[in-house]
Amino acid sequence: MNKHDSERVCGILENLGSRWVDSYEEADIVIFMTCCVREAADTRLMGQVASMKNLSLRADSPFKKRLIAVGGCIGQRDGEKLTEELAHIDIVFGTHNIASLPQLLMTALDDGLHHVEVLDAAAGFSTDLPIARVNDWAAWLPITVGCNNFCSYCIVPYVRGREKSRPLEEIVGEAAGYVESGVKEITLLGQNVNSYGRDLYGTPRFADVLKELDATGIARLRFATSHPKDLTDEVIEAFGNLKSLMPALHLPIQSGSDKILTAMNRNYTQAHYVSLIEKLRRTCPDIALSTDIIVGFPGETEADFEETCKVISEVGYTQVFTFIYSKREGTPAAKLHDDTPAEVIQERFDRLVGLVQENAWKQNQKDTGKLVEVLVEGASKRDAQLLAGKSPKNQTVHAKIPADTTLDELLGKFVTVKIEEAKTWYLKGRIIS
Ligand code: SAH
Ligand code: SF4
């Protein structure tokens, strides 16, 4: 969601006549798009903004001083407080008012004063704002904003507001436009895409979104994120029926312990989660699964943690995002007492990471020798001779760029790769066609 918001901000800046530069030193305007889901992101933001204070402006800048803006979730949460803590911040805006950015920039440029604008709720979707997409072949498409779930550890509902769905026709219209302009992959966005439409139509209609988007002719369709309590049979069946829906699902479990799941207010049990996985594998046997895990939620015992490890081994994930619990002021969990020593939590976390890697490696081995269609996204970070792209299962695939072509010619195109080697986090192969 932050990446999508950032593409909107970049679109606005381009519309105002700005151009891209490669470093903070060269920039007249710096906008931080922030996240406050965990404390580490908070701390990093404060450090990065603080370090801008003594950075001089380029000599030929038409500005008197560099404009510094903070947007996104931290802007929404802290508002005025940010300019009190860091006086060199010029603009603070929130999650609901990206559209105000041109006005805020112009006013701050004019009067040299701080400007803070944070709204309580969104007036609507920012669909008519300009957008500067990072890649021509891929588009993020928000279908809902906000969240109504109030998981007890999570700050998102407080900074992103209540769940709001976009009308189905509008989503289909935007997707059709992308297909026409050559986009190959659309990723639908929402904090819980499965409850899409409940506010508009009385019942969730996410399966309809998938069906209608498949009919637009898009090559690849993905979505994030799914809440296990709302994943319906119809959506599961879509993995078997819809050609464009890629065989990859991110289904955060957070913990394998029913006691912890209840304390987290997740509204499902380990058994329900595992039953969803069984259904998914019956519908789409080769589906790649990924998840999120929080380690060290208040009250988590060794036995609770072992339940989490058990699910990780049983499900066989290709990717697991692991987080140490981070106390977020204002959430119900922040009031829970916990005396588990930090070293114990860290040890569990390290054990989990080892288990995750072992499982990811095992899953990837299954694809050795297979032919995989890869959407080319760029060069490998380690070796410029290799292209990097994504398989249908969202695995990173590396392959040598053929001598008779260039990376630029391949960007955003599909190539067929024969997988010769499977590593923990990527596959390596040879282009067949
Ligand atoms: N709506 C999505 C994404 C939420 S934020 C979802 O529910 O899946 C992404 C992930 O951050 C969550 O899934 C959770 O694992 C993690 N997270 C959220 N709050 C956290 C906290 N206070 N401490 C540690 N991890 C957290
Ligand atoms: Fe946070 Fe839960 Fe909503 Fe995800 S579903 S954004 S974890 S409250």
Side-chain angles (χ1 to χ4, degrees):
M1 199 62 96
N2 232 354
K3 284 186 183 172
H4 172 78
D5 286 349
S6 301
E7 289 186 344
R8 292 271 180 216
V9 165
C10 293
I12 288 174
L13 290 176
E14 279 187 359
N15 246 29
L16 292 173
S18 305
R19 67 182 170 81
W20 291 88
V21 289
D22 294 327
S23 65
Y24 286 139
E25 285 82 1
E26 290 169 86
D28 297 331
I29 304 173
V30 177
I31 301 180
F32 291 90
M33 293 302 286
T34 62
C35 166
C36 60
V37 166
R38 284 169 296 276
E39 196 181 355
D42 254 297
T43 320
R44 207 160 44 228
L45 182 263
M46 296 316 264
Q48 286 188 2
V49 178
S51 72
M52 306 289 327
K53 196 173 169 205
N54 301 320
L55 200 67
S56 55
L57 192 63
R58 67 188 169 105
D60 53 349
S61 172
F63 286 21
K64 285 197 227 61
K65 73 179 281 283
R66 176 180 290 111
L67 279 185
I68 296 179
V70 176
C73 296
I74 297 184
Q76 183 72 28
R77 186 194 61 190
D78 292 352
E80 198 78 48
K81 206 174 116 203
L82 279 169
T83 57
E84 286 158 15
E85 279 171 23
L86 292 162
H88 59 293
I89 296 178
D90 302 289
I91 295 163
V92 178
F93 60 106
T95 52
H96 304 304
N97 61 332
I98 290 178
S100 308
L101 193 56
Q103 192 56 43
L104 290 166
L105 285 169
M106 292 307 172
T107 324
L109 203 53
D110 246 18
D111 63 15
L113 302 173
H114 299 308
H115 293 275
V116 176
E117 188 188 287
V118 173
L119 307 179
D120 285 341
F125 272 86
S126 50
T127 42
D128 47 358
L129 291 179
I131 189 157
R133 293 204 325 272
V134 173
N135 297 317
D136 292 341
W137 62 86
W140 306 108
L141 206 173
I143 63 167
T144 66
V145 288
C147 183
N148 290 351
N149 290 311
F150 291 94
C151 301
S152 64
Y153 51 81
C154 185
I155 193 85
V156 171
Y158 306 92
V159 288
R160 291 268 172 185
R162 290 298 69 69
E163 184 176 283
K164 262 203 184 112
S165 306
R166 276 172 81 183
L168 187 51
E169 312 76 65
E170 203 180 296
I171 296 169
V172 176
E174 188 172 334
Y178 286 140
V179 174
E180 207 170 313
S181 67
V183 167
K184 305 278 174 42
E185 178 173 282
I186 292 178
T187 305
L188 306 175
L189 296 178
Q191 297 300 341
N192 175 13
V193 287
N194 292 287
S195 62
Y196 166 83
R198 197 175 271 152
D199 55 321
L200 285 183
Y201 309 112
T203 52
R205 290 191 56 187
F206 183 53
D208 294 343
V209 176
L210 294 175
K211 270 179 225 151
E212 297 215 13
L213 261 60
D214 184 65
T216 62
I218 186 71
R220 288 186 166 190
L221 188 57
R222 302 185 188 277
F223 57 84
T225 305
S226 269
H227 196 306
K229 78 176 166 60
D230 295 313
L231 183 65
T232 60
D233 287 350
E234 244 186 313
V235 172
I236 293 178
E237 278 153 24
F239 281 100
N241 305 331
L242 303 181
K243 192 170 160 277
S244 65
L245 188 57
M246 290 294 103
L249 176 67
H250 184 64
L251 192 62
I253 184 170
Q254 314 295 0
S255 168
S257 151
D258 288 348
K259 180 192 95 189
I260 297 295
L261 287 172
T262 304
M264 286 178 164
N265 192 31
R266 291 288 289 178
N267 288 301
Y268 54 84
T269 57
Q270 184 199 117
H272 177 70
Y273 184 93
V274 171
S275 76
L276 293 174
I277 302 293
E278 284 165 0
K279 275 191 209 167
L280 280 158
R281 287 245 157 88
R282 273 198 299 274
T283 311
C284 181
D286 199 28
I287 194 165
L289 296 160
S290 57
T291 198
D292 291 348
I293 299 284
I294 297 177
V295 182
F297 185 83
E300 181 190 73
T301 61
E302 177 61 22
D304 294 319
F305 177 69
E306 277 167 15
E307 287 296 309
T308 302
C309 295
K310 189 181 112 202
V311 181
I312 303 277
S313 300
E314 271 176 25
V315 173
Y317 293 102
T318 46
Q319 174 75 286
V320 180
F321 298 93
T322 49
F323 309 109
I324 288 185
Y325 169 71
S326 171
K327 183 173 166 177
R328 305 284 65 203
E329 281 317 327
T331 62
K335 297 197 190 81
L336 298 176
H337 171 72
D338 190 37
D339 48 19
T340 314
E343 312 82 75
V344 171
I345 293 173
Q346 185 64 49
E347 187 278 325
R348 281 182 199 155
F349 182 81
D350 296 344
R351 227 184 318 152
L352 181 68
V353 169
L355 187 64
V356 165
Q357 287 178 355
E358 196 186 305
N359 272 279
W361 185 83
K362 266 193 216 154
Q363 288 304 316
N364 276 349
Q365 296 310 309
K366 294 182 186 166
D367 289 325
T368 320
K370 286 193 185 158
L371 290 182
V372 171
E373 188 170 58
V374 175
L375 180 58
V376 180
E377 294 186 339
S380 147
K381 285 189 193 114
R382 294 192 199 100
D383 183 349
Q385 313 256 307
L386 299 180
L387 61 78
K390 284 281 159 60
S391 72
K393 285 158 68 178
N394 216 18
Q395 297 140 302
T396 298
V397 179
H398 292 164
K400 195 163 183 342
I401 301 165
D404 57 353
T405 182
T406 62
L407 181 65
D408 277 352
E409 282 175 66
L410 294 173
L411 283 180
K413 307 240 166 69
F414 289 109
V415 291
T416 305
V417 175
K418 183 166 167 87
I419 304 302
E420 294 172 331
E421 200 183 344
K423 304 273 195 189
T424 307
W425 300 126
Y426 66 95
L427 305 172
K428 216 169 156 184
R430 184 165 42 90
I431 295 183
I432 302 292
S433 61

